[in-house]
């Protein structure tokens, strides 16, 4: 359904020198360097899958999506969406995809939302029944009628995003590429947007590729995760597998009635080399230990042997923690031009 093979994108950027004189000399000499935004990415997304495209700022997500939607041509490698190369067959590709770039409008700036929908309806040749069904949904979930006949350029960010989301789904596309689709949306609308795309996926088998810095979007929509760092894929699999990659696990317990905090910490850090312990806000002890050094059973056994455990639990590693650990390194190198 969506295939990328060693997909690469280089940008040529003018080298800048610091200071005013530097700027002037940049204008005169025009030295360029290459920034490799996407560095040989390969993946294969099944029809009907919902994949989160995750990565730090500058990791190469939007650039990849621009190639998949036909806006940009790869520097090397290739991609296929529904069997077509998007940048060669832009028109064929456009019919079967729906796109939202939260950072950039896909709508006609001077037209109202109803007018834009009428145009899209004709461009995509949307059957009446489909159009009516979808519009009814947008009325119900996105309160689309409230946008009235205001030109898009006068809408607030959240209002515009509602129209963008609706426009991307209007023609029942086979694939939706949503790049930060919930920017500017309040909680209620975020939920509505998640419901809409999940519904399209469940009822029509719509394939979803989503980027979002709101990790709750990802948890609410996606089953699979593709993590990029510095233009390269560093994880491909299910979200669940990604969570299991946490390199540190934790146990929190109540130490009241036992030795003092300092003594408790010392015993833990000596007995479990590589683990760190400390007091939580609620006056409990939190132990963080390297997942590859100890099993949770071993850690729990150690704590039971050494302390009176009144209360004890193991917090799930959350997506944020896992990503913080995954983002280290590559993204920073790319930002500093190391990948260029
Ligand atoms: N048109 C361009 N010209 C030069 N460099 C670019 C261009 N577009 C993107 N880049 C560079 O390519 C890299 C990847 O950018 P991209 O927009 O794909 O990142 P991203 O993962 O979408 O980040 P964010 O989470 O901030 O949206 C960055 O280093 C960026 O500066
Ligand atoms: Mg982006």
């Amino acid at each position: 359904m969506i295939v990328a093979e060693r997909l690469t994108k280089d940008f040529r950027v003018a080298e800048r020198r610091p200071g005013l004189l530097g700027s002037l000399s940049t204008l005169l000499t025009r030295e360029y360097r290459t920034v490799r935004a996407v560095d040989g990415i390969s993946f294969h997304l099944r029809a009907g899958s919902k994949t989160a495209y995750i990565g730090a700022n500058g990791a190469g997500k939007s650039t990849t999506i621009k190639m998949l939607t036909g806006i940009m041509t790869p520097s090397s490698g290739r991609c296929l969406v529904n069997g077509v190369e998007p940048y060669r067959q832009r028109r064929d590709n456009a019919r079967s995809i729906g796109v939202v770039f939260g950072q950039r409008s896909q709508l006609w700036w001077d037209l109202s939302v109803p007018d834009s929908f009428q145009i899209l309806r004709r461009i995509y040749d949307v059957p009446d029944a489909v159009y009516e069904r979808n519009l009814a949904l947008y009325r119900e979930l996105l309160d689309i009628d409230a946008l009235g006949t205001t030109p898009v350029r006068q809408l607030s960010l959240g209002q515009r995003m509602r129209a963008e989301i609706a426009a991307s789904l209007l023609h029942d596309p086979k694939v939706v590429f949503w790049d930060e689709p919930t920017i500017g949306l309040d909680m209620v609308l975020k939920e509505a947007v998640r419901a809409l795309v999940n519904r399209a996926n469940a009822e029509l088998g719509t394939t979803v590729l989503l980027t979002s810095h709101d990790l709750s979007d990802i948890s609410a929509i996606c089953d699979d995760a593709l993590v990029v760092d510095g233009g390269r894929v560093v994880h491909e699999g299910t979200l669940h597998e990604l969570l299991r990659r946490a390199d540190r696990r934790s146990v929190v317990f109540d130490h009241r009635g036992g030795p003092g905090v300092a003594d408790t910490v010392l015993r833990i850090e000596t007995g479990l080399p590589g683990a760190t312990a400390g007091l939580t806000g609620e006056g409990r002890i939190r132990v963080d230990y390297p997942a590859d050094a100890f099993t949770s059973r071993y850690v729990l056994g150690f704590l039971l042997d050494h302390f009176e455990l009144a209360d004890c639990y193991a917090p799930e590693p959350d997506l944020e923690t896992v990503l913080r650990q995954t983002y280290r390194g590559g993204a920073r190198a790319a930002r500093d031009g190391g990948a260029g």
Side-chain angles (χ1 to χ4, degrees):
M1 174 56 55
I2 305 178
V3 184
E5 286 167 357
R6 294 182 300 282
L7 200 57
T8 299
K9 183 71 187 179
D10 292 329
F11 291 112
R12 221 162 75 101
V13 292
E15 192 76 80
R16 292 197 192 286
R17 306 215 179 92
L20 183 59
L21 274 179
S23 304
L24 284 175
S25 73
T26 302
L27 280 176
L28 296 175
T29 55
R30 281 280 168 211
E31 282 173 24
Y32 291 92
R33 71 188 167 93
T34 305
V35 173
R36 179 154 289 185
V38 172
D39 191 6
I41 282 182
S42 300
F43 55 79
H44 187 288
L45 309 181
R46 283 172 296 110
S49 56
K50 295 187 286 183
T51 308
Y53 199 40
I54 308 175
N57 291 134
K61 304 179 297 296
S62 296
T63 307
T64 307
I65 293 182
K66 284 174 187 162
M67 292 189 277
L68 294 171
T69 52
I71 296 169
M72 275 182 185
T73 306
S75 303
S76 67
R78 63 170 202 155
C79 56
L80 284 175
V81 176
N82 298 311
V84 304
E85 279 189 281
Y87 32 87
R88 290 189 209 281
Q89 294 144 276
R90 280 189 74 162
R91 204 175 269 268
D92 289 342
N93 189 45
R95 279 179 191 283
S96 58
I97 66 173
V99 183
V100 172
F101 282 106
Q103 307 280 5
R104 203 176 78 172
S105 180
Q106 305 288 295
L107 297 168
W108 292 273
W109 216 230
D110 292 314
L111 295 187
S112 68
V113 173
D115 287 346
S116 304
F117 282 14
Q118 286 305 333
I119 294 183
L120 289 171
R121 179 182 193 172
R122 291 214 198 116
I123 292 180
Y124 293 131
D125 223 349
V126 185
D128 292 350
V130 171
Y131 186 81
E132 295 305 332
R133 177 210 341 119
N134 285 343
L135 209 60
L137 260 181
Y138 308 149
R139 286 201 171 106
E140 180 196 329
L141 290 173
L142 300 176
D143 197 11
I144 208 84
D145 285 340
L147 305 181
T149 53
T150 315
V152 167
R153 75 183 130 75
Q154 287 172 10
L155 297 176
S156 76
L157 174 59
Q159 290 169 335
R160 175 172 72 75
M161 290 313 295
R162 280 146 67 190
E164 303 271 354
I165 299 272
S168 77
L169 294 171
L170 195 63
H171 54 301
D172 280 355
K174 286 195 192 130
V175 182
V176 294
F177 295 101
W178 276 5
D179 190 356
E180 301 186 41
T182 58
I183 278 190
L185 294 182
D186 62 44
M187 256 336 286
V188 175
L189 279 160
K190 273 189 190 181
E191 301 259 309
V193 162
R194 295 166 186 170
L196 262 180
V197 76
N198 283 334
R199 188 168 171 154
N201 171 264
E203 291 177 4
L204 308 167
T206 312
T207 309
V208 181
L209 187 64
L210 168 82
T211 82
S212 180
H213 291 293
D214 182 338
L215 299 181
S216 49
D217 284 343
I218 288 174
S219 316
I221 297 171
C222 300
D223 305 312
D224 295 332
L226 202 56
V227 184
V228 280
D229 195 13
R232 296 189 182 176
V233 174
V234 294
H235 171 86
E236 184 180 7
T238 63
L239 255 187
H240 190 68
E241 283 161 355
L242 180 64
L243 289 176
R244 282 209 312 243
R245 272 177 57 141
D247 62 4
R248 293 181 80 78
R249 304 261 159 86
S250 313
V251 178
V252 177
F253 71 93
D254 205 325
H255 81 300
R256 272 164 279 189
V261 175
D263 195 22
T264 304
V265 168
L266 185 68
R267 280 199 210 179
I268 293 171
E269 294 185 351
T270 331
L272 301 169
T276 54
L279 201 59
T280 71
E282 300 88 48
R284 291 157 196 242
I285 298 286
R286 180 186 174 106
V287 185
D288 293 305
Y289 61 94
D292 57 353
F294 309 105
T295 62
S296 47
R297 179 189 279 260
Y298 182 86
V299 172
L300 210 56
F302 175 87
L303 296 176
L304 281 166
D305 284 349
H306 290 80
F307 308 98
E308 291 279 334
L309 298 193
D311 181 20
C312 171
Y313 64 94
E316 269 268 286
D318 61 315
L319 192 52
E320 195 181 320
T321 312
V322 176
L323 290 178
R324 207 177 290 127
Q325 147 203 335
T326 312
Y327 286 176
R328 275 181 230 137
R332 211 164 301 125
R335 263 202 299 274
D336 298 343

Tab-separated table of all heavy atoms in Angstrom, residues 99-135:
chain	number	residue	atom	x	y	z
A	99	VAL	N	-4.874	14.675	2.485
A	99	VAL	CA	-3.674	15.252	3.103
A	99	VAL	C	-4.018	16.397	4.036
A	99	VAL	O	-4.851	17.244	3.698
A	99	VAL	CB	-2.720	15.786	2.001
A	99	VAL	CG1	-1.444	16.312	2.615
A	99	VAL	CG2	-2.409	14.710	0.975
A	100	VAL	N	-3.396	16.401	5.196
A	100	VAL	CA	-3.444	17.579	6.057
A	100	VAL	C	-2.018	17.928	6.448
A	100	VAL	O	-1.277	17.068	6.932
A	100	VAL	CB	-4.262	17.326	7.355
A	100	VAL	CG1	-4.129	18.511	8.306
A	100	VAL	CG2	-5.729	17.070	7.049
A	101	PHE	N	-1.616	19.148	6.172
A	101	PHE	CA	-0.373	19.676	6.747
A	101	PHE	C	-0.798	20.766	7.715
A	101	PHE	O	-1.205	21.856	7.284
A	101	PHE	CB	0.538	20.280	5.664
A	101	PHE	CG	1.280	19.258	4.863
A	101	PHE	CD1	0.912	18.977	3.563
A	101	PHE	CD2	2.354	18.571	5.418
A	101	PHE	CE1	1.602	18.030	2.812
A	101	PHE	CE2	3.037	17.621	4.676
A	101	PHE	CZ	2.665	17.347	3.376
A	102	GLY	N	-0.740	20.465	9.013
A	102	GLY	CA	-1.177	21.432	10.007
A	102	GLY	C	-0.489	22.780	9.856
A	102	GLY	O	-1.047	23.828	10.163
A	103	GLN	N	0.761	22.729	9.355
A	103	GLN	CA	1.557	23.944	9.249
A	103	GLN	C	1.243	24.761	7.989
A	103	GLN	O	1.751	25.856	7.830
A	103	GLN	CB	3.052	23.590	9.201
A	103	GLN	CG	3.521	22.711	10.331
A	103	GLN	CD	3.756	23.496	11.590
A	103	GLN	OE1	3.487	24.689	11.658
A	103	GLN	NE2	4.242	22.832	12.626
A	104	ARG	N	0.457	24.177	7.089
A	104	ARG	CA	0.287	24.831	5.798
A	104	ARG	C	-1.074	24.451	5.250
A	104	ARG	O	-1.405	23.275	5.168
A	104	ARG	CB	1.384	24.292	4.867
A	104	ARG	CG	1.715	25.214	3.726
A	104	ARG	CD	2.853	24.652	2.943
A	104	ARG	NE	2.383	23.592	2.068
A	104	ARG	CZ	3.151	23.020	1.143
A	104	ARG	NH1	4.412	23.366	1.031
A	104	ARG	NH2	2.666	22.086	0.366
A	105	SER	N	-1.866	25.437	4.854
A	105	SER	CA	-3.231	25.130	4.435
A	105	SER	C	-3.269	24.475	3.060
A	105	SER	O	-2.495	24.806	2.169
A	105	SER	CB	-4.066	26.408	4.396
A	105	SER	OG	-5.375	26.082	3.992
A	106	GLN	N	-4.204	23.533	2.920
A	106	GLN	CA	-4.443	22.888	1.627
A	106	GLN	C	-5.679	23.499	0.964
A	106	GLN	O	-6.066	23.098	-0.108
A	106	GLN	CB	-4.722	21.386	1.832
A	106	GLN	CG	-3.654	20.655	2.602
A	106	GLN	CD	-2.404	20.485	1.775
A	106	GLN	OE1	-2.407	19.790	0.765
A	106	GLN	NE2	-1.337	21.153	2.171
A	107	LEU	N	-6.297	24.455	1.670
A	107	LEU	CA	-7.552	25.015	1.168
A	107	LEU	C	-7.291	26.294	0.380
A	107	LEU	O	-6.207	26.859	0.431
A	107	LEU	CB	-8.492	25.321	2.342
A	107	LEU	CG	-8.929	24.099	3.155
A	107	LEU	CD1	-9.593	24.540	4.448
A	107	LEU	CD2	-9.871	23.237	2.334
A	108	TRP	N	-8.327	26.749	-0.333
A	108	TRP	CA	-8.194	28.003	-1.077
A	108	TRP	C	-8.422	29.144	-0.102
A	108	TRP	O	-9.511	29.278	0.482
A	108	TRP	CB	-9.208	28.047	-2.224
A	108	TRP	CG	-8.880	27.037	-3.262
A	108	TRP	CD1	-8.028	27.206	-4.317
A	108	TRP	CD2	-9.376	25.698	-3.356
A	108	TRP	NE1	-7.958	26.054	-5.055
A	108	TRP	CE2	-8.772	25.115	-4.491
A	108	TRP	CE3	-10.251	24.923	-2.582
A	108	TRP	CZ2	-9.025	23.802	-4.879
A	108	TRP	CZ3	-10.511	23.621	-2.967
A	108	TRP	CH2	-9.898	23.081	-4.099
A	109	TRP	N	-7.427	29.928	0.054
A	109	TRP	CA	-7.364	30.982	1.060
A	109	TRP	C	-8.548	31.959	1.000
A	109	TRP	O	-9.048	32.403	2.003
A	109	TRP	CB	-6.036	31.710	0.855
A	109	TRP	CG	-5.359	32.195	2.092
A	109	TRP	CD1	-4.887	33.463	2.285
A	109	TRP	CD2	-5.053	31.465	3.281
A	109	TRP	NE1	-4.305	33.557	3.521
A	109	TRP	CE2	-4.391	32.348	4.153
A	109	TRP	CE3	-5.278	30.148	3.710
A	109	TRP	CZ2	-3.959	31.981	5.429
A	109	TRP	CZ3	-4.847	29.772	4.973
A	109	TRP	CH2	-4.202	30.682	5.811
A	110	ASP	N	-8.983	32.287	-0.238
A	110	ASP	CA	-10.007	33.319	-0.390
A	110	ASP	C	-11.425	32.766	-0.447
A	110	ASP	O	-12.379	33.526	-0.490
A	110	ASP	CB	-9.753	34.145	-1.669
A	110	ASP	CG	-8.488	34.962	-1.505
A	110	ASP	OD1	-8.341	35.586	-0.429
A	110	ASP	OD2	-7.647	34.940	-2.407
A	111	LEU	N	-11.544	31.443	-0.478
A	111	LEU	CA	-12.882	30.856	-0.570
A	111	LEU	C	-13.400	30.481	0.808
A	111	LEU	O	-12.627	30.242	1.730
A	111	LEU	CB	-12.850	29.599	-1.449
A	111	LEU	CG	-12.495	29.800	-2.926
A	111	LEU	CD1	-12.688	28.493	-3.673
A	111	LEU	CD2	-13.344	30.895	-3.537
A	112	SER	N	-14.733	30.391	0.904
A	112	SER	CA	-15.328	29.917	2.153
A	112	SER	C	-15.233	28.390	2.163
A	112	SER	O	-14.951	27.768	1.134
A	112	SER	CB	-16.794	30.323	2.217
A	112	SER	OG	-17.516	29.601	1.237
A	113	VAL	N	-15.504	27.809	3.326
A	113	VAL	CA	-15.433	26.357	3.447
A	113	VAL	C	-16.466	25.657	2.546
A	113	VAL	O	-16.108	24.734	1.810
A	113	VAL	CB	-15.543	25.938	4.936
A	113	VAL	CG1	-15.651	24.430	5.072
A	113	VAL	CG2	-14.341	26.475	5.701
A	114	PRO	N	-17.732	26.099	2.539
A	114	PRO	CA	-18.691	25.430	1.640
A	114	PRO	C	-18.262	25.501	0.172
A	114	PRO	O	-18.395	24.516	-0.565
A	114	PRO	CB	-19.991	26.215	1.856
A	114	PRO	CG	-19.842	26.848	3.194
A	114	PRO	CD	-18.393	27.105	3.387
A	115	ASP	N	-17.730	26.654	-0.255
A	115	ASP	CA	-17.275	26.766	-1.649
A	115	ASP	C	-16.106	25.816	-1.920
A	115	ASP	O	-16.046	25.159	-2.961
A	115	ASP	CB	-16.853	28.209	-1.963
A	115	ASP	CG	-18.063	29.138	-2.069
A	115	ASP	OD1	-19.196	28.619	-2.174
A	115	ASP	OD2	-17.871	30.369	-2.028
A	116	SER	N	-15.189	25.738	-0.973
A	116	SER	CA	-14.037	24.849	-1.140
A	116	SER	C	-14.519	23.403	-1.285
A	116	SER	O	-14.014	22.649	-2.119
A	116	SER	CB	-13.113	24.912	0.074
A	116	SER	OG	-12.714	26.226	0.314
A	117	PHE	N	-15.502	23.035	-0.457
A	117	PHE	CA	-16.006	21.659	-0.505
A	117	PHE	C	-16.654	21.359	-1.860
A	117	PHE	O	-16.510	20.267	-2.392
A	117	PHE	CB	-17.020	21.416	0.621
A	117	PHE	CG	-16.370	21.201	1.951
A	117	PHE	CD1	-15.034	21.505	2.153
A	117	PHE	CD2	-17.094	20.678	3.016
A	117	PHE	CE1	-14.426	21.307	3.386
A	117	PHE	CE2	-16.495	20.483	4.251
A	117	PHE	CZ	-15.167	20.797	4.438
A	118	GLN	N	-17.364	22.358	-2.405
A	118	GLN	CA	-17.998	22.149	-3.711
A	118	GLN	C	-16.938	21.899	-4.784
A	118	GLN	O	-17.121	21.059	-5.664
A	118	GLN	CB	-18.868	23.356	-4.092
A	118	GLN	CG	-20.179	23.444	-3.320
A	118	GLN	CD	-21.029	22.167	-3.427
A	118	GLN	OE1	-20.953	21.426	-4.396
A	118	GLN	NE2	-21.816	21.892	-2.391
A	119	ILE	N	-15.840	22.629	-4.695
A	119	ILE	CA	-14.772	22.438	-5.682
A	119	ILE	C	-14.144	21.057	-5.532
A	119	ILE	O	-13.966	20.322	-6.495
A	119	ILE	CB	-13.703	23.541	-5.533
A	119	ILE	CG1	-14.329	24.884	-5.904
A	119	ILE	CG2	-12.490	23.241	-6.414
A	119	ILE	CD1	-13.368	26.030	-5.869
A	120	LEU	N	-13.862	20.710	-4.275
A	120	LEU	CA	-13.252	19.397	-4.031
A	120	LEU	C	-14.172	18.275	-4.520
A	120	LEU	O	-13.730	17.287	-5.099
A	120	LEU	CB	-12.960	19.219	-2.535
A	120	LEU	CG	-11.821	20.067	-1.998
A	120	LEU	CD1	-11.765	19.992	-0.473
A	120	LEU	CD2	-10.489	19.589	-2.582
A	121	ARG	N	-15.465	18.484	-4.275
A	121	ARG	CA	-16.463	17.499	-4.689
A	121	ARG	C	-16.365	17.233	-6.194
A	121	ARG	O	-16.427	16.105	-6.644
A	121	ARG	CB	-17.840	18.060	-4.339
A	121	ARG	CG	-18.989	17.195	-4.720
A	121	ARG	CD	-20.278	17.904	-4.360
A	121	ARG	NE	-21.402	17.013	-4.418
A	121	ARG	CZ	-22.623	17.342	-4.007
A	121	ARG	NH1	-22.843	18.533	-3.489
A	121	ARG	NH2	-23.608	16.479	-4.083
A	122	ARG	N	-16.171	18.337	-6.974
A	122	ARG	CA	-16.058	18.171	-8.428
A	122	ARG	C	-14.717	17.597	-8.824
A	122	ARG	O	-14.640	16.689	-9.641
A	122	ARG	CB	-16.258	19.511	-9.123
A	122	ARG	CG	-17.666	19.915	-8.956
A	122	ARG	CD	-18.268	20.668	-10.115
A	122	ARG	NE	-19.443	21.312	-9.548
A	122	ARG	CZ	-19.607	22.606	-9.443
A	122	ARG	NH1	-18.732	23.422	-9.972
A	122	ARG	NH2	-20.664	23.097	-8.861
A	123	ILE	N	-13.649	18.137	-8.219
A	123	ILE	CA	-12.303	17.647	-8.580
A	123	ILE	C	-12.229	16.138	-8.377
A	123	ILE	O	-11.725	15.410	-9.214
A	123	ILE	CB	-11.215	18.326	-7.713
A	123	ILE	CG1	-11.096	19.810	-8.037
A	123	ILE	CG2	-9.860	17.643	-7.907
A	123	ILE	CD1	-10.045	20.535	-7.220
A	124	TYR	N	-12.728	15.694	-7.239
A	124	TYR	CA	-12.604	14.275	-6.898
A	124	TYR	C	-13.781	13.452	-7.393
A	124	TYR	O	-13.803	12.254	-7.190
A	124	TYR	CB	-12.476	14.104	-5.382
A	124	TYR	CG	-11.204	14.664	-4.819
A	124	TYR	CD1	-11.226	15.498	-3.707
A	124	TYR	CD2	-9.969	14.342	-5.387
A	124	TYR	CE1	-10.064	16.013	-3.176
A	124	TYR	CE2	-8.797	14.863	-4.858
A	124	TYR	CZ	-8.856	15.694	-3.755
A	124	TYR	OH	-7.702	16.194	-3.226
A	125	ASP	N	-14.760	14.129	-7.993
A	125	ASP	CA	-15.885	13.382	-8.520
A	125	ASP	C	-16.561	12.563	-7.418
A	125	ASP	O	-16.765	11.359	-7.547
A	125	ASP	CB	-15.357	12.428	-9.605
A	125	ASP	CG	-16.275	12.422	-10.794
A	125	ASP	OD1	-17.378	12.980	-10.655
A	125	ASP	OD2	-15.885	11.863	-11.835
A	126	VAL	N	-16.860	13.214	-6.317
A	126	VAL	CA	-17.406	12.501	-5.157
A	126	VAL	C	-18.888	12.190	-5.410
A	126	VAL	O	-19.670	13.103	-5.672
A	126	VAL	CB	-17.286	13.361	-3.876
A	126	VAL	CG1	-17.735	12.580	-2.644
A	126	VAL	CG2	-15.859	13.865	-3.686
A	127	PRO	N	-19.292	10.929	-5.351
A	127	PRO	CA	-20.706	10.589	-5.542
A	127	PRO	C	-21.579	11.304	-4.502
A	127	PRO	O	-21.139	11.502	-3.359
A	127	PRO	CB	-20.745	9.067	-5.316
A	127	PRO	CG	-19.338	8.606	-5.484
A	127	PRO	CD	-18.457	9.757	-5.106
A	128	ASP	N	-22.804	11.664	-4.913
A	128	ASP	CA	-23.692	12.419	-4.019
A	128	ASP	C	-23.870	11.751	-2.657
A	128	ASP	O	-23.827	12.413	-1.622
A	128	ASP	CB	-25.078	12.589	-4.675
A	128	ASP	CG	-24.991	13.509	-5.886
A	128	ASP	OD1	-23.918	14.143	-6.066
A	128	ASP	OD2	-25.976	13.582	-6.643
A	129	ALA	N	-24.080	10.440	-2.691
A	129	ALA	CA	-24.345	9.718	-1.440
A	129	ALA	C	-23.149	9.842	-0.490
A	129	ALA	O	-23.320	10.060	0.718
A	129	ALA	CB	-24.650	8.258	-1.732
A	130	VAL	N	-21.944	9.716	-1.048
A	130	VAL	CA	-20.724	9.817	-0.225
A	130	VAL	C	-20.603	11.229	0.341
A	130	VAL	O	-20.342	11.438	1.533
A	130	VAL	CB	-19.474	9.468	-1.069
A	130	VAL	CG1	-18.192	9.781	-0.311
A	130	VAL	CG2	-19.517	7.998	-1.480
A	131	TYR	N	-20.843	12.207	-0.548
A	131	TYR	CA	-20.730	13.605	-0.121
A	131	TYR	C	-21.700	13.895	1.024
A	131	TYR	O	-21.309	14.457	2.054
A	131	TYR	CB	-21.006	14.525	-1.316
A	131	TYR	CG	-20.764	15.985	-1.006
A	131	TYR	CD1	-19.475	16.508	-1.043
A	131	TYR	CD2	-21.818	16.823	-0.673
A	131	TYR	CE1	-19.248	17.840	-0.757
A	131	TYR	CE2	-21.592	18.155	-0.380
A	131	TYR	CZ	-20.307	18.664	-0.424
A	131	TYR	OH	-20.087	19.979	-0.126
A	132	GLU	N	-22.953	13.485	0.859
A	132	GLU	CA	-23.963	13.761	1.893
A	132	GLU	C	-23.629	13.046	3.194
A	132	GLU	O	-23.741	13.617	4.272
A	132	GLU	CB	-25.368	13.328	1.410
A	132	GLU	CG	-25.895	14.124	0.219
A	132	GLU	CD	-25.903	15.638	0.463
A	132	GLU	OE1	-26.019	16.059	1.629
A	132	GLU	OE2	-25.763	16.400	-0.519
A	133	ARG	N	-23.204	11.802	3.081
A	133	ARG	CA	-22.845	11.030	4.282
A	133	ARG	C	-21.706	11.722	5.039
A	133	ARG	O	-21.758	11.916	6.245
A	133	ARG	CB	-22.424	9.606	3.872
A	133	ARG	CG	-21.995	8.818	5.062
A	133	ARG	CD	-20.963	7.721	4.960
A	133	ARG	NE	-20.601	7.075	3.740
A	133	ARG	CZ	-19.359	7.114	3.262
A	133	ARG	NH1	-18.423	7.838	3.864
A	133	ARG	NH2	-19.067	6.468	2.166
A	134	ASN	N	-20.678	12.126	4.284
A	134	ASN	CA	-19.527	12.736	4.941
A	134	ASN	C	-19.859	14.106	5.533
A	134	ASN	O	-19.456	14.432	6.650
A	134	ASN	CB	-18.352	12.818	3.972
A	134	ASN	CG	-17.720	11.455	3.761
A	134	ASN	OD1	-17.957	10.541	4.562
A	134	ASN	ND2	-16.936	11.304	2.716
A	135	LEU	N	-20.639	14.879	4.795
A	135	LEU	CA	-21.000	16.200	5.295
A	135	LEU	C	-21.808	16.090	6.595
A	135	LEU	O	-21.606	16.856	7.535
A	135	LEU	CB	-21.810	16.946	4.228
A	135	LEU	CG	-21.648	18.459	4.286
A	135	LEU	CD1	-20.196	18.863	4.090
A	135	LEU	CD2	-22.530	19.130	3.246
